């Protein structure tokens, strides 16, 4: 289950990924240590996610398979969907500024939540622990 509060523990190739996203080095340095914490509440195909970091706090609701809008911490607007494939959440989000697609997955592995990201050929991961 995805339910619970998750705190980022470590990143894998996240700097390169953010660079591919066009984020400048100053913001990347801050984002690498953003203290991101997400609280996930799943009820069937409905999700409520609370996000807090050094940049902001926000809450978002989405339903699997239903398109929604989201703004990344740097203000980049995307729209897309999460779907569930087996035990994995799969997200596909299109940037409004350039039409390019960011894909992401979430899976619980042992006591960790692993979120992977892909944008224009660059893969990254952020790994969370329960907190
Ligand atoms: C949520 O489930 O937490 C809300 C929807 C998230 C959709 C987009 C996730 C991609 C975030 C990428 C951040 C990378 C910034 C360069």
């Amino acid at each position: 289950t995805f339910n619970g509060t998750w705190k980022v523990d470590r990143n894998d190739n996240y700097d390169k990924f953010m660079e591919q996203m066009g984020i400048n080095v100053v913001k990347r340095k801050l984002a690498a240590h953003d203290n991101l914490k997400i609280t996930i509440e799943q009820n069937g195909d409905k999700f409520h996610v609370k996000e807090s970091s050094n940049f902001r706090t926000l809450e978002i609701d989405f339903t699997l398979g239903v398109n929604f809008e989201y703004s990344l911490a740097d203000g980049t607007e995307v729209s897309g969907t999460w779907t569930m494939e087996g035990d994995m959440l799969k997200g596909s989000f299109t940037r409004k500024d350039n039409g390019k697609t960011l894909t992401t997955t979430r899976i619980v592995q042992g006591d960790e939540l692993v979120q992977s990201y892909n944008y224009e050929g660059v893969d990254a991961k952020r790994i969370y622990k329960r907190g």
Side-chain angles (χ1 to χ4, degrees), residues 30-48:
L30 295 171
H33 303 282
D34 60 357
N35 289 309
L36 179 61
K37 184 173 95 172
I38 53 176
T39 298
I40 300 175
E41 293 168 25
Q42 180 184 5
N43 275 300
D45 60 357
K46 295 195 188 307
F47 283 75
H48 182 70

Side-chain angles (χ1 to χ4, degrees), residues 45 62-67 80-84:
D45 60 357
F62 61 85
T63 301
L64 294 177
V66 179
N67 200 82
T81 54
W82 284 109
T83 56
M84 191 76 83

Side-chain angles (χ1 to χ4, degrees), residues 88-101:
M88 185 178 278
L89 274 170
K90 288 195 171 189
S92 180
F93 296 91
T94 300
R95 287 176 67 147
K96 295 192 178 177
D97 58 349
N98 65 10
K100 292 183 177 173
T101 298

Side-chain angles (χ1 to χ4, degrees), residues 7-54:
K7 288 181 178 173
V8 165
D9 179 61
R10 58 196 189 276
N11 300 324
D12 181 10
N13 210 41
Y14 194 49
D15 187 70
K16 282 278 190 303
F17 169 78
M18 290 189 286
E19 186 176 15
Q20 187 75 339
M21 288 284 290
I23 296 168
N24 74 47
V25 63
V26 174
K27 289 183 184 172
R28 297 205 303 273
K29 296 290 178 204
L30 295 171
H33 303 282
D34 60 357
N35 289 309
L36 179 61
K37 184 173 95 172
I38 53 176
T39 298
I40 300 175
E41 293 168 25
Q42 180 184 5
N43 275 300
D45 60 357
K46 295 195 188 307
F47 283 75
H48 182 70
V49 178
K50 293 178 196 165
E51 172 184 325
S52 74
S53 70
N54 295 342

Side-chain angles (χ1 to χ4, degrees), residues 70-83:
Y70 179 77
S71 294
L72 309 188
D74 71 340
T76 302
E77 294 182 0
V78 299
S79 75
T81 54
W82 284 109
T83 56

